[in-house]
C-alpha cells in the first residue's frame, strides 16, 4: 500500500488510515467492524439505497450511508452508537417485513444476507405489517423469481447492466409500486435474459435464485476449480453434497473476476446424467458398426456388453500391438482431447509417440485455430495470444472479426462491453449481425468468405495514407515491400464490391485502427475455418505489424481459443508435427532431446492431421485408433464420409463420459471421468495455467482419464509409473521451457500462473513480443495474401450458403450440454436460422420443418427466423445429433493449417 496519500480518521474511537476514495464501509470491513449492508456488493457501483449501513459522523445532523460516503481526513465516525444501531436495526426490521410471513429465509439462499445481518444484529421478528404477496415467476429453467423476497437493493439491476452489460433487468414504477422487471415487464423466460446468473449471484436474499430445487441445500464442501467449457477459463466454486454438485458460483479468477455464463453456472449436471458410462464396454461379436444419429443411447447399448477393466484393457493392448506388429506404428493414430487436462494431453501424445511409434496424434485444434496458428507461427514465431483478453480494458480500439463472443466467450464479451462503456471504440466485422454489433462503433456486415478482400483494403488505406508505423516496420518486421506491392491494387473502391462494405467505411475503419494509441484484434472461427483461413489470419497479423499495434498492453493479436484446454493441449504436443512446446518433430535437435527425455527412439516424420486421418483410414493405411474426449462422428466435416472411415477401422477404442456417436462405432468403450471428477491443469486463451480440482468421484467403474492412459501405456509395454498428477506436471516442466518456472505448489497456492514463466518465482509474462519476436531473426514476417473464394460456391442447384457455428447454450457436438437439464430445456430442438425474407420467398413459416441438402448429405431441421443472418445464408449449429449439420459441410482443407471449410458451402433448402 502506498502510505504517502493515506487519510487519517477516527473510527469507533480508534485512529485508522484509509486510501483516498475509500468508503467508510470499506474501511470498517477492513478493520473487522460489522456494519450491516445489503445493497452494497464489492465490484458493483455503490447505490446507497437500502440504508442498512447508516453510521454516525461527528458534527453531522443526519446519519450517513457508509457504503457511499468517502473518507475525509479528521472525520470522527461511529458505527455502533445508539443512534446508528437503532437506524440499522430499523432498516433490517422494515426489510424483514417485506418478506412473506413465516418464511424460512434460508430456503431460497443458504447464505441469505438479510438473515445473516438480522442474526448479527439480534433481530428475530418484525413489528410491521407484511406486504401484499407477489406472485412468483417460474417460467425460466435456470432462474426462479420470487419477488416477495426482493428488498429492491438493485444489486441485480447493476449486475445485469454494469457487469454483464445485458441490460435486461430494471426497476420500474415509483414508491410502493416499485418493482424489479425484466425488459418491459416480461416473464423471465420471454425476456432477452441470457441466464448468465450474475443477478442470482448478486441477489442477497434469494429473490432471484437457481430454479433447481436442490440448489439451495447446504453443501458439505466447496471446491475451487475452473469452468469445463470455453477457453476464457473462468474460475468457479463447486458446492457439493453427497457426491452431487448442488450449484456453481463464480470465483474471483484473473479471467473472470467472479463472472460466469449460463453454461458455466447452470450447465454442470451432465456429470450426473443417467447415461454416463459406468462400465467398460466391448462390442459384441459380429455386431456391425452402423453409424447412428442418437442422443438416446439405449438402442446402441445392445451392441455392447459390459466388461471388467482387466478384460477391456487387455483387449485394447492386444489389438493395438497386433496392428503395430503387422502394419507398423503408422497404421495407428490417436485423437486426444482439448477438454482434458494438460497432463492428460501430454501423456496421450507421449503414448502415441513412444507406444504406438508414430506422430499420428492430433485433436480438435485442427478444426479450430489450426490456420491461425500456422499464420502466427510463420509470421511471429508463436501461436498463442500476444495479450490477454482482459487487455481490451486498456485498448482504445477493439477489432473483433469472425467471432461471436457474447455467445461463445460470454464472460470475455463482458470485458469488451465494459471497455466500450468506458469509451473504447469497437469495430465488429461479421457476415452475421452478432449481439456485440449493438455495442459497435463500426459494424461491418460484409459478405461471408471475403475477409482477405476486406482486410487487404484496410492494409491498402493504411499504407496509402501513410498511417503506418515506419519505425516498427523497419526495426521489427521483414517483407514490407512485398506486402505493399500486394495490396497496391486493393483500393477500397476495388474491394467494396467483393466484400460488400462501402469504400468510405473501409477507409474510416482503417484510419480508426491505425491512428489509435492502442488497438487490439480478436478473432474466431469466421477467420480460421476456411480453405483460406491462413491467408485471413496473415492479413490480421499484417494489420497489427504495419501499425505497430503489438507488444504493448491493450494491443496485439488474440485468436480467441475455443475449448477450455485447446491452448494447453496444443502446448503439450497433441499435434502431429510438433513435440511439446512446439518443437518440430522434423528438427533433429528436438528429436534427440525428447528421445533422451522419454528414453525411446522417435519418428521424425510428421503425422496425419484429423481430416487426413479419416482419409487414410479409407485408403487403408490407418487401421487402429484411440480417441479420447473427442466426438469426430459429429464434429468432423462431411460426416457420412468420416463415419464411414471410423466404422472401417479394424480397431477403435473410445474413452469418453457418454456413449457418443463416435463411441457407437468403437470396439471398446472406456468410461472416463468428467471434469469435476479429476484434478489437473488447464490453460486458457490468455496462456494462464489454472488448476482444476476434483470435487466429486466418478460414477460406477468410470476411472480417471490419466489412469486409463497410463494403463493402456503399460499394456503396450511402456514402463510408466506416474503416481500423481503432479508427477506428470513435473515431467512436463522438464519438457517445456515455457512453463519451467511453474511449480505445482504455486498452482495449488495461486490457482493460476501465466506463461512464459521461465524460472521459479517468475511472475510470468501476460503481454509478449515487447522487445522481439520468437523468430530466428527476432523480427516478424509480413506475408501477403491474395483474395480467393471458398472451395464450393452456391449455384443454381445449391443456391444458399451454409454457415455453421454455435449457440450460447450448447457445446459442440451436444454430448455434454444436451444432457445438462437447464441448457437442454432452454434450447431443446435443432434449428436453422434464416433471414426472414428468405423464409418468405421459400414460403416457410418459423417452426416449419425444412430439409437442407448439400452435395454430401441431407438433414431435416426446424426453421427459425433470424434477422441477424444475411439473405442467402443459413446458419446452423452443429450440436444436434438428430440434425447433424456436418453431413453437409465440405472437407476441403486449407493447405497450411489443414483446417476444413466449416464456414462455407453450398446447400439447397426445401420445405418438408
Ligand atoms: N456456446 C458455445 N461456446 C463455445 C463453443 C460452443 O460449442 N458453444 N465452442 C468453443 C470453441 S472450440 C470455439 S473454437 C469457439 C468459437 O467461437 P466463434 O469463433 O465465436 O464461433 P462460431 O460461431 O463458430 O463463428 C464465429 C463467427 O464467424 C462468423 N463467420 C461466418 N463466416 C464468416 C466469414 O466468412 N468471415 C468472417 N470474418 N466471419 C464469418 C459467423 O457469423 C460467427 O458469428 O467457441 C467456443 N465457445
Ligand atoms: N460444422 C462445424 N463443425 C465444427 C466446427 C464448426 O464451427 N462447424 N467447429 C470445430 C471446432 S472449432 C472444434 S473445437 C471441434 C470440437 O469437436 P469435438 O472436440 O469433437 O467436440 P466436443 O463435443 O467438445 O467433444 C468432446 C468430447 O469429449 C467428451 N468429454 C468431455 N469431458 C471429458 C473428459 O473429461 N474426459 C473424457 N474422456 N471425455 C470427455 C464429451 O463427452 C465429448 O464427446 O468441432 C469442430 N467442428
Ligand atoms: Mo474450437
Amino acid at each position: 500500500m502506498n502510505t504517502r496519500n493515506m487519510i487519517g480518521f477516527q473510527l469507533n474511537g480508534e485512529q485508522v488510515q484509509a486510501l483516498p476514495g475509500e468508503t467508510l464501509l470499506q474501511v470498517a470491513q477492513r478493520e473487522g467492524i460489522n456494519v450491516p449492508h445489503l445493497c452494497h456488493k464489492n465490484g458493483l457501483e455503490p447505490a446507497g439505497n437500502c440504508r442498512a449501513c447508516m453510521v454516525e459522523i461527528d458534527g453531522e445532523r443526519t446519519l450517513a450511508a457508509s457504503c457511499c460516503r468517502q473518507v475525509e481526513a479528521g472525520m470522527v465516525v461511529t458505527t455502533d452508537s445508539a443512534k446508528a444501531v437503532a437506524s440499522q436495526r430499523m432498516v433490517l426490521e422494515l426489510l424483514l417485513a417485506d418478506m412473506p410471513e413465516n418464511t424460512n429465509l434460508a430456503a431460497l439462499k443458504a447464505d441469505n444476507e438479510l438473515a445473516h445481518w438480522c442474526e448479527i444484529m439480534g433481530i428475530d421478528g418484525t413489528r410491521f405489517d407484511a406486504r401484499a404477496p407477489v406472485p412468483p415467476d417460474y417460467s425460466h429453467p435456470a432462474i426462479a423469481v420470487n419477488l416477495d423476497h426482493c428488498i429492491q437493493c438493485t444489486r441485480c439491476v447493476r449486475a445485469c447492466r454494469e457487469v454483464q452489460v445485458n441490460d435486461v433487468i430494471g426497476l420500474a414504477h415509483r414508491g410502493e409500486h416499485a418493482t424489479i422487471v425484466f425488459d418491459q415487464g416480461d416473464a423471465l423466460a420471454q425476456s432477452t435474459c441470457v441466464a448468465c446468473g450474475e443477478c442470482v449471484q448478486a441477489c442477497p436474499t434469494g429473490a432471484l435464485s437457481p430454479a433447481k430445487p436442490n440448489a439451495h441445500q447446504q453443501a458439505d464442501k466447496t471446491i475451487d476449480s475452473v469452468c469445463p467449457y470455453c477457453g476464457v477459463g473462468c474460475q468457479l466454486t463447486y458446492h457439493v453434497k453427497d457426491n452431487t454438485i448442488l450449484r456453481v458460483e463464480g470465483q474471483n479468477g484473473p479471467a473472470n473476476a467472479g463472472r460466469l455464463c449460463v453454461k458455466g453456472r447452470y450447465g454442470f449436471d451432465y456429470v450426473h446424467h443417467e447415461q454416463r458410462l459406468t462400465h467398460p464396454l466391448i462390442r459384441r461379436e459380429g455386431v456391425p458398426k452402423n453409424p447412428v444419429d442418437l442422443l438416446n443411447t439405449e438402442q446402441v447399448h445392445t451392441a455392447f456388453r459390459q466388461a471388467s477393466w482387466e478384460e477391456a484393457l487387455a483387449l485394447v493392448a492386444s489389438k493395438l500391438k497386433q496392428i503395430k506388429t503387422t502394419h507398423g506404428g503408422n497404421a495407428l493414430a490417436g485423437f486426444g482431447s482439448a477438454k482434458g487436462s494438460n497432463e492428460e494431453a501430454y501423456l496421450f501424445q507421449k503414448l502415441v509417440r513412444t507406444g504406438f511409434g508414430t506422430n499420428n496424434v492430433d485433436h480438435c485444434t485442427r478444426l479450430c485455430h489450426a490456420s491461425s496458428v500456422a499464420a502466427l507461427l510463420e509470421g511471429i514465431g508463436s501461436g498463442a495470444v500476444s495479450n490477454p483478453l482482459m487487455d481490451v480494458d486498456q485498448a482504445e480500439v477493439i477489432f473483433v472479426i469472425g467471432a461471436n463472443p457474447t455467445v461463445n466467450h460470454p464472460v470475455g464479451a463482458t470485458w469488451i462491453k465494459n471497455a466500450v462503456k468506458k469509451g473504447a471504440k469497437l469495430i465488429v466485422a461479421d457476415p452475421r449481425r452478432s449481439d456485440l454489433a449493438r455495442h459497435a462503433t463500426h459494424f461491418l456486415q460484409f459478405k461471408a468468405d471475403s475477409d482477405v478482400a476486406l482486410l487487404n483494403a484496410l492494409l491498402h488505406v493504411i499504407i496509402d495514407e501513410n498511417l503506418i508505423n515506419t519505425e516498427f516496420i523497419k526495426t521489427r518486421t521483414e517483407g514490407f515491400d512485398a506486402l505493399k506491392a500486394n495490396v497496391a491494387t486493393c483500393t477500397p473502391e476495388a474491394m467494396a464490391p467483393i466484400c460488400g462494405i462501402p469504400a468510405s467505411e473501409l477507409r474510416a475503419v482503417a484510419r480508426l485502427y491505425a491512428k489509435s494509441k492502442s488497438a487490439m484484434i480478436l478473432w474466431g472461427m469466421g477467420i480460421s475455418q476456411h480453405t483460406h483461413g491462413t491467408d485471413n489470419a496473415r492479413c490480421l497479423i499484417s494489420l497489427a505489424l504495419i501499425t505497430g499495434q503489438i507488444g504493448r498492453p491493450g494491443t496485439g493479436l488474440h485468436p480467441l481459443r475455443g475449448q477450455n484446454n485447446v491452448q494447453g493441449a496444443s502446448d503439450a504436443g497433441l499435434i502431429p508435427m510438433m513435440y511439446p512446446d512446439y518443437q518440430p518433430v522434423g528438427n533433429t535437435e528436438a528429436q534427440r532431446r525428447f528421445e533422451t527425455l522419454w528414453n525411446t527412439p522417435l519418428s521424425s516424420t510428421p503425422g496425419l492431421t484429423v481430416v487426413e486421418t479419416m482419409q487414410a483410414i479409407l485408403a487403408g493405411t490407418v487401421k487402429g485408433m484411440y480417441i479420447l474426449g473427442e466426438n469426430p462422428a459429429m464434429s468432423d466435416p462431411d460426416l457420412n464420409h468420416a463415419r464411414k472411415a471410423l466404422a472401417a477401422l479394424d480397431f477403435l477404442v473410445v474413452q469418453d463420459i457418454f456413449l457418443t456417436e463416435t463411441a457407437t462405432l468403437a470396439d471398446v468403450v472406456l468410461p472416463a471421468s468428467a471434469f469435476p471428477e479429476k484434478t489437473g491443469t488447464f490453460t486458457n486463451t490468455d496462456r494462464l495455467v489454472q488448476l482444476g480440482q476434483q470435487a466429486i468421484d466418478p460414477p460406477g467403474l468410470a476411472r480417471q482419464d490419466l489412469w486409463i492412459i497410463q494403463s493402456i501405456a503399460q499394456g503396450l509395454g511402456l514402463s510408466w509409473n506416474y503416481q500423481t498428477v503432479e508427477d506428470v506436471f513435473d515431467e512436463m516442466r522438464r519438457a517445456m521451457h515455457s512453463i519451467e518456472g511453474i511449480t505445482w505448489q504455486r498452482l495449488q497456492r495461486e490457482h493460476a500462473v501465466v506463461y512464459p514463466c521461465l524460472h521459479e518465482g517468475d511472475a510470468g509474462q501476460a503481454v509478449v513480443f515487447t522487445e522481439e519476436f520468437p523468430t530466428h531473426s527476432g523480427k516478424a514476417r509480413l506475408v501477403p495474401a491474395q483474395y480467393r473464394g471458398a472451395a464450393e460456391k452456391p449455384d443454381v442447384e445449391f443456391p444458399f450458403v451454409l454457415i455453421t457455428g454455435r449457440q450460447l447454450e450448447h457445446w459442440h457436438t451436444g454430448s455434454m450440454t444436451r444432457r445438462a437439464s437447464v441448457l437442454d430445456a432452454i434450447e431443446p430442438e435443432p434449428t436453422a436460422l434464416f433471414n426472414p425474407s428468405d423464409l418468405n420467398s421459400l414460403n416457410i413459416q418459423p417452426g416449419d420443418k425444412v430439409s437442407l441438402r448439400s452435395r454430401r448429405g441431407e438433414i431435416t431441421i426446424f426453421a427459425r427466423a433470424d434477422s441477424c443472418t444475411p439473405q442467402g445464408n443459413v446458419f446452423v449449429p452443429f450440436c444436434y445429433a438428430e440434425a447433424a449439420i456436418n453431413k453437409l459441410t465440405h472437407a476441403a482443407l486449407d493447405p497450411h493449417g489443414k483446417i476444413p471449410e466449416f464456414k462455407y458451402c453450398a446447400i439447397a433448402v426445401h420445405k418438408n
Side-chain angles (χ1 to χ4, degrees):
M1 223 187 267
N2 178 0
T3 51
R4 222 164 14 143
N5 301 324
M6 298 294 270
I7 300 171
F9 76 107
Q10 212 190 81
L11 183 62
N12 290 359
E14 302 280 328
Q15 196 60 33
V16 292
Q17 300 283 314
L19 288 167
E22 273 193 302
T23 62
L24 294 175
L25 181 62
Q26 277 171 322
V27 183
Q29 284 179 323
R30 189 167 62 235
E31 297 294 323
I33 297 172
N34 267 328
V35 181
H37 55 274
L38 289 157
C39 71
H40 167 85
K41 183 168 192 283
N42 287 339
L44 297 178
E45 284 292 314
N49 65 31
C50 79
R51 315 313 271 181
C53 69
M54 303 307 269
V55 296
E56 191 167 354
I57 302 174
D58 270 20
E60 296 193 4
R61 202 167 46 84
T62 53
L63 298 175
S66 60
C67 70
C68 45
R69 183 64 185 267
Q70 290 184 4
V71 173
E72 287 163 45
M75 259 180 174
V76 177
V77 182
T78 319
T79 68
D80 56 0
S81 67
K83 197 170 153 194
V85 169
S87 170
Q88 294 162 4
R89 290 179 54 100
M90 175 62 78
V91 168
L92 293 173
E93 219 185 307
L94 283 164
L95 290 174
L96 211 50
D98 279 353
M99 299 297 116
E101 264 178 304
N102 304 323
T103 192
N104 165 11
L105 288 182
L108 293 175
K109 192 171 169 84
D111 44 359
N112 187 307
E113 292 176 37
L114 181 56
H116 167 81
W117 288 116
C118 284
E119 193 187 327
I120 288 189
M121 302 299 287
I123 296 170
D124 52 11
T126 178
R127 290 162 289 166
F128 304 100
D129 289 341
R131 95 182 138 174
V134 188
D137 169 0
Y138 296 150
S139 62
H140 200 285
I143 302 171
V145 186
N146 288 288
L147 288 184
D148 55 4
H149 283 68
C150 176
I151 57 168
Q152 297 179 357
C153 65
T154 70
R155 272 159 59 162
C156 58
V157 178
R158 284 171 284 152
C160 190
R161 182 170 299 160
E162 292 164 16
V163 179
Q164 296 261 351
V165 201
N166 290 327
D167 267 320
V168 180
I169 311 182
L171 184 68
H173 311 302
R174 290 278 180 278
E176 62 172 321
H177 303 292
T179 181
I180 292 294
V181 291
F182 307 106
D183 290 340
Q184 309 294 324
D186 297 289
L188 186 56
Q190 266 72 58
S191 75
T192 53
C193 169
V194 290
C196 68
E198 192 74 35
C199 56
V200 174
Q201 186 157 304
C203 179
T205 60
L208 299 172
S209 67
K212 276 171 76 79
N214 69 352
H216 314 293
Q217 292 176 13
Q218 195 70 46
D220 318 328
K221 60 174 180 182
T222 58
I223 305 285
D224 293 341
S225 194
V226 192
C227 177
Y229 288 107
C230 88
V232 172
C234 297
Q235 290 191 7
L236 47 71
T237 303
Y238 289 114
H239 292 248
V240 178
K241 184 181 179 182
D242 301 334
N243 209 37
T244 301
I245 301 174
L246 301 173
R247 64 181 176 277
V248 162
E249 268 172 22
Q251 207 14 262
N252 191 11
N256 66 314
R259 305 173 185 191
L260 292 176
C261 78
V262 63
K263 290 183 297 301
R265 198 184 301 275
Y266 300 113
F268 55 83
D269 67 356
Y270 70 91
V271 302
H272 301 305
H273 196 278
E274 57 180 17
Q275 287 174 358
R276 276 294 298 276
L277 289 168
T278 52
H279 285 82
L281 301 174
I282 293 179
R283 178 173 292 279
R284 291 182 196 277
E285 202 75 39
V287 176
K289 295 181 174 177
N290 293 326
V292 281
D293 299 325
L294 270 184
L295 199 70
N296 182 343
T297 49
E298 263 163 44
Q299 259 178 318
V300 245
H301 259 290
T302 57
F304 297 94
R305 63 176 173 82
Q306 292 185 352
S308 66
W309 274 104
E310 292 69 30
E311 186 190 6
L313 288 171
L315 182 61
V316 171
S318 78
K319 288 286 183 181
L320 293 176
K321 273 199 275 198
Q322 190 188 348
I323 294 173
K324 184 177 170 187
T325 318
T326 323
H327 305 283
N330 287 335
L332 294 174
F335 290 170
S337 181
K339 294 230 81 60
S341 66
N342 286 321
E343 295 75 23
E344 289 160 18
Y346 176 81
L347 283 196
F348 188 88
Q349 60 85 38
K350 181 175 172 181
L351 165 66
V352 172
R353 294 199 152 103
T354 63
F356 294 5
T358 175
N359 286 311
N360 288 342
V361 59
D362 207 357
H363 74 292
C364 67
T365 189
R366 195 65 40 209
L367 310 175
C368 188
H369 266 302
S371 47
S372 312
V373 170
L376 288 165
L377 286 173
E378 165 195 77
I380 59 178
S382 162
V385 300
S386 69
N387 296 59
L389 214 165
M390 201 69 110
D391 256 26
V392 293
D393 184 50
Q394 300 178 60
E396 207 173 88
V397 169
I398 304 163
F399 183 14
V400 177
I401 179 163
N404 190 1
T406 43
V407 165
N408 299 315
H409 300 87
V411 170
T414 66
W415 302 117
I416 299 176
K417 292 185 280 186
N418 292 160
V420 173
K421 273 200 149 193
K422 276 178 37 193
K425 302 270 190 294
L426 174 65
I427 305 165
V428 173
D430 201 296
R432 293 180 66 227
R433 191 172 75 235
S434 59
D435 179 66
L436 209 53
R438 224 158 37 92
H439 304 265
T441 323
H442 293 271
F443 171 46
L444 311 177
Q445 192 166 18
F446 69 115
K447 289 186 198 160
D449 196 38
S450 69
D451 295 75
V452 172
L454 174 103
L455 297 170
N456 274 350
L458 302 184
L459 291 169
H460 174 96
V461 173
I462 291 167
I463 296 173
D464 186 53
E465 298 187 3
N466 202 23
L467 305 174
I468 52 175
N469 184 332
T470 318
E471 182 60 21
F472 193 92
I473 293 174
K474 200 171 99 205
T475 56
R476 306 223 23 208
T477 72
E478 294 165 348
F480 178 68
D481 292 339
L483 181 81
K484 183 176 174 182
N486 182 62
V487 297
T489 54
C490 301
T491 61
E493 286 71 20
M495 297 299 108
I498 304 176
C499 66
I501 302 297
S504 58
E505 182 73 349
L506 292 169
R507 285 212 159 78
V509 166
R511 289 171 191 152
L512 180 63
Y513 175 82
K515 286 185 185 170
S516 67
K517 284 202 214 68
S518 54
M520 186 167 174
I521 305 177
L522 302 112
W523 75 90
M525 297 298 101
I527 285 290
S528 64
Q529 291 174 332
H530 289 277
T531 47
H532 45 80
T534 305
D535 280 345
N536 292 349
R538 282 171 173 153
C539 294
L540 293 175
I541 297 165
S542 296
L543 260 184
L545 289 174
I546 66 167
T547 52
Q549 297 284 21
I550 189 163
R552 290 171 286 124
T555 68
L557 297 163
H558 192 115
L560 286 155
R561 306 312 303 253
Q563 293 264 30
N564 55 334
N565 198 34
V566 66
Q567 183 63 55
S570 306
D571 298 341
L574 217 54
I575 31 184
M577 50 299 248
M578 314 273 192
Y579 296 125
D581 231 8
Y582 306 93
Q583 305 294 301
V585 293
N587 176 308
T588 320
E589 200 188 315
Q591 189 183 347
R592 296 285 166 269
R593 222 184 121 221
F594 282 97
E595 284 179 335
T596 313
L597 182 69
W598 294 337
N599 199 17
T600 324
L602 297 170
S603 159
S604 58
T605 321
L608 297 169
T609 59
V610 167
V611 177
E612 287 171 340
T613 305
M614 297 299 165
Q615 288 155 355
I617 298 169
L618 289 176
T621 47
V622 167
K623 297 185 180 295
M625 274 196 83
Y626 174 17
I627 300 181
L628 185 162
E630 288 239 324
N631 192 5
M634 280 291 288
S635 58
D636 267 23
D638 192 2
L639 269 193
N640 289 326
H641 179 268
R643 290 176 176 182
K644 207 165 114 196
L646 291 169
L649 283 165
D650 289 351
F651 183 73
L652 171 62
V653 49
V654 171
Q655 174 173 332
D656 207 294
I657 54 176
F658 294 109
L659 194 63
T660 60
E661 295 71 18
T662 303
T664 62
L665 301 173
D667 297 276
V668 176
V669 181
L670 304 175
S673 47
F675 184 94
E677 294 159 3
K678 60 196 179 187
T679 291
T681 63
F682 295 79
T683 306
N684 84 343
T685 188
D686 301 324
R687 293 180 265 104
L688 262 181
V689 181
Q690 305 198 94
L691 192 61
Q693 305 201 87
Q694 182 173 359
I696 52 173
D697 293 322
L701 295 184
R703 300 302 284 266
Q704 299 202 333
D705 287 281
L706 214 57
W707 180 87
I708 307 175
I709 302 169
Q710 173 151 266
S711 302
I712 293 182
Q714 287 162 346
L716 292 178
L718 302 178
S719 53
W720 289 9
N721 188 18
Y722 301 98
Q723 299 295 324
T724 59
V725 186
E726 185 184 342
D727 288 351
V728 184
F729 186 78
D730 280 343
E731 181 176 317
M732 291 178 68
R733 287 179 62 199
R734 279 183 276 133
M736 300 166 64
H737 184 51
S738 59
I739 60 162
E740 219 174 301
I742 307 180
T743 63
W744 192 256
Q745 290 67 27
R746 183 164 168 199
L747 282 168
Q748 283 180 312
R749 207 171 51 239
E750 298 175 18
H751 289 196
V753 183
V754 71
Y755 78 77
C757 177
L758 305 181
H759 53 84
E760 286 184 27
D762 182 353
Q765 301 163 31
V767 177
V768 289
F769 318 137
T770 50
E771 304 291 331
E772 58 175 16
F773 292 98
T775 56
H776 282 305
S777 61
K779 289 186 175 186
R781 214 172 119 203
L782 291 157
V783 183
Q786 269 149 28
Y787 167 70
R788 62 195 160 80
E792 184 183 73
K793 288 282 194 180
D795 54 22
V796 184
E797 195 187 348
F798 299 99
F800 281 89
V801 171
L802 171 68
I803 301 179
T804 63
R806 304 164 159 74
Q807 61 191 144
L808 175 63
E809 292 79 6
H810 285 302
W811 193 258
H812 293 151
T813 68
S815 63
M816 296 154 73
T817 51
R818 294 200 75 199
R819 295 182 175 96
S821 57
V822 167
L823 302 174
D824 191 48
I826 302 176
E827 280 289 358
E829 301 279 5
T831 49
L833 277 52
F834 289 86
N835 187 285
S837 69
D838 284 333
L839 286 183
N840 235 342
S841 53
L842 291 163
N843 195 22
I844 295 169
Q845 298 295 318
D848 282 353
K849 274 201 162 178
V850 293
S851 69
L852 309 181
R853 185 170 59 87
S854 79
R855 287 184 177 81
R856 295 155 294 277
E858 182 167 5
I859 59 154
T860 304
I861 194 163
F862 295 103
R864 183 181 278 180
D866 171 42
S867 55
C868 298
T869 299
Q871 243 180 311
N873 292 242
V874 185
F875 181 82
V876 186
F878 65 105
C879 51
Y880 296 100
E882 64 276 41
I885 194 62
N886 272 325
K887 288 181 181 174
L888 277 63
T889 50
H890 198 189
L893 298 184
D894 172 276
H896 311 280
K898 309 281 177 169
I899 189 169
E901 197 141 59
F902 284 126
K903 287 286 178 278
Y904 202 101
C905 74
I907 61 164
V909 179
H910 292 286
K911 188 175 167 174
N912 271 30

